[in-house]
Amino acid sequence: MKIATYNVNGVNGHLPVLLRWLADFQPDVVCLQELKAPQEKFPETAILNAGYHAIWHGQKSWNGVAILAKGQQPKETRRGLPGDPEDPHSRYIEAEINGILIGCLYLPNGNPAPGPKFDYKLQWFKRLTKYAKTLLAREIPVILTGDYNVIPTEFDCHKPSSWVDDALFFPESREAYRKLVAQGWTDALRELHPNEKIFTYWDYFRNAFPRNAGIRIDHFLLSPQIAPQLIAAGVDRDVRSWDKTSDHAPTWIELKSKTHRKKS
DNA sequence: ATGCCTATTATTAATAGA
């Protein structure tokens, strides 16, 4: 079972790239962020024609998240994080698929930092961390994936010195991520590739992709009830080189199916 | 130190992204 996360940076603006990638890669589940489309402008028909059923939470201009499942309807279990009913941003949606609870999140960017946007980022992080703890307490297979907008360590970026004034790399952001993972989550890509430079985002600026000046900010966190099934993880870097592409690349994991697990 | 580039919304400039 292949599960991917992809910050599309405009689901309509980059629809051709999304459809081409879906056709090539054939993931079973996809979490999308930055739809940048209101609820009624989600390209449901095009995605259905590609073989995927979807749930989504749109928003005009910014944010927006979706979960796609190949050949089946995702069973929605939540939209919006608990803790602030007034929060107007569409940044969290959750579904049950094949007995796995999948949370798709788009954590706030937080720039410029410090400032009110950074405060919002840390507040949102707190809500996520609190909610994540309740998920772990249920002792079920859970995957929290998406654009965390956090560079976890110096090793997760091309040149740490150029990110020190950025909300993605602020000590508070990294500490919040560290605390979240320390609840008992497995950072899937780092787990399987502890010594590899892995990037999921490259600036449109500065010729960043050809220079491989990237950062790792799209993450998969696995609960202990699903982590043992992790068999592969990676980034579809090629997609970042396509014409009219997002500044993120699709990031994915592969899980052993339960029936196979019993054999090994 | 700053802007670089790109998408969206709304009119050619502002805002946000990271």
Side-chain angles (χ1 to χ4, degrees):
Chain A
M1 182 181 184
K2 288 190 286 191
I3 304 175
T5 183
Y6 187 20
N7 179 323
V8 279
N9 189 18
V11 73
N12 289 304
H14 294 140
L15 186 60
V17 167
L18 175 62
L19 295 176
R20 178 181 163 194
W21 169 70
L22 286 175
D24 283 4
F25 188 69
Q26 291 286 312
D28 298 288
V29 177
V30 182
C31 293
L32 297 176
Q33 303 86 34
E34 277 210 86
L35 302 179
K36 291 187 171 179
Q39 190 68 13
E40 66 277 11
K41 291 277 177 64
F42 183 83
E44 185 180 16
T45 306
I47 283 172
L48 260 176
N49 289 340
Y52 290 83
H53 297 259
I55 58 169
W56 66 95
H57 194 194
Q59 187 178 332
K60 192 180 166 188
S61 308
W62 302 299
N63 310 318
V65 284
I67 299 177
L68 282 47
K70 189 163 70 174
Q72 62 174 311
Q73 181 64 33
K75 270 183 272 172
E76 183 170 326
T77 51
R78 161 168 286 283
R79 66 174 57 199
L81 273 183
D84 183 3
E86 306 298 306
D87 184 356
H89 293 201
S90 300
R91 295 184 178 274
Y92 187 83
I93 194 164
E94 183 188 280
E96 192 206 308
I97 301 168
N98 296 349
I100 305 171
L101 198 67
I102 298 175
C104 169
L105 64 102
Y106 176 46
L107 207 132
N109 172 299
N111 279 306
K117 290 191 174 181
F118 190 58
D119 296 341
Y120 174 66
K121 176 181 194 142
L122 295 181
Q123 267 307 109
W124 206 93
F125 224 138
K126 251 187 203 166
R127 286 165 61 200
L128 175 65
T129 304
K130 191 174 175 186
Y131 178 59
K133 200 172 175 185
T134 70
L135 291 177
L136 282 182
R138 290 166 64 183
E139 301 186 342
I140 56 170
V142 183
I143 298 174
L144 286 177
T145 186
D147 179 358
Y148 281 75
N149 268 316
V150 178
I151 304 166
T153 70
E154 292 199 347
F155 191 60
D156 296 303
C157 64
H158 173 256
K159 190 179 166 196
S161 61
S162 54
W163 291 95
V164 287
D165 293 325
D166 197 287
L168 279 64
F169 198 55
F170 257 46
E172 292 94 327
S173 306
R174 289 153 63 185
E175 176 62 12
Y177 185 77
R178 192 199 63 73
K179 273 174 75 175
L180 172 62
V181 175
Q183 289 179 338
W185 300 92
T186 296
D187 180 337
L189 272 86
R190 200 38 92 209
E191 175 76 12
L192 291 187
H193 306 289
N195 301 310
E196 232 175 84
K197 283 277 180 190
I198 304 166
F199 301 141
T200 66
Y201 168 91
W202 297 260
D203 246 347
Y204 287 126
F205 309 161
R206 307 182 193 90
N207 210 25
F209 185 64
R211 292 189 300 116
N212 197 28
I215 53 178
R216 188 174 77 98
I217 56 174
D218 299 275
H219 306 303
F220 278 90
L221 297 191
L222 312 188
S223 77
Q225 291 73 25
I226 193 77
Q229 287 168 238
L230 178 67
I231 52 175
V235 179
D236 284 343
R237 285 179 51 100
D238 258 13
V239 179
R240 182 63 182 77
S241 73
W242 294 356
D243 196 34
K244 295 287 283 176
T245 198
S246 167
D247 40 9
H248 295 248
T251 304
W252 54 268
I253 60 169
E254 190 169 352
L255 302 173
K256 213 189 291 186
S257 72
K258 277 182 187 168
T259 42
H260 289 136
R261 188 171 56 128
K262 282 175 184 162
K263 280 197 225 162
S264 62

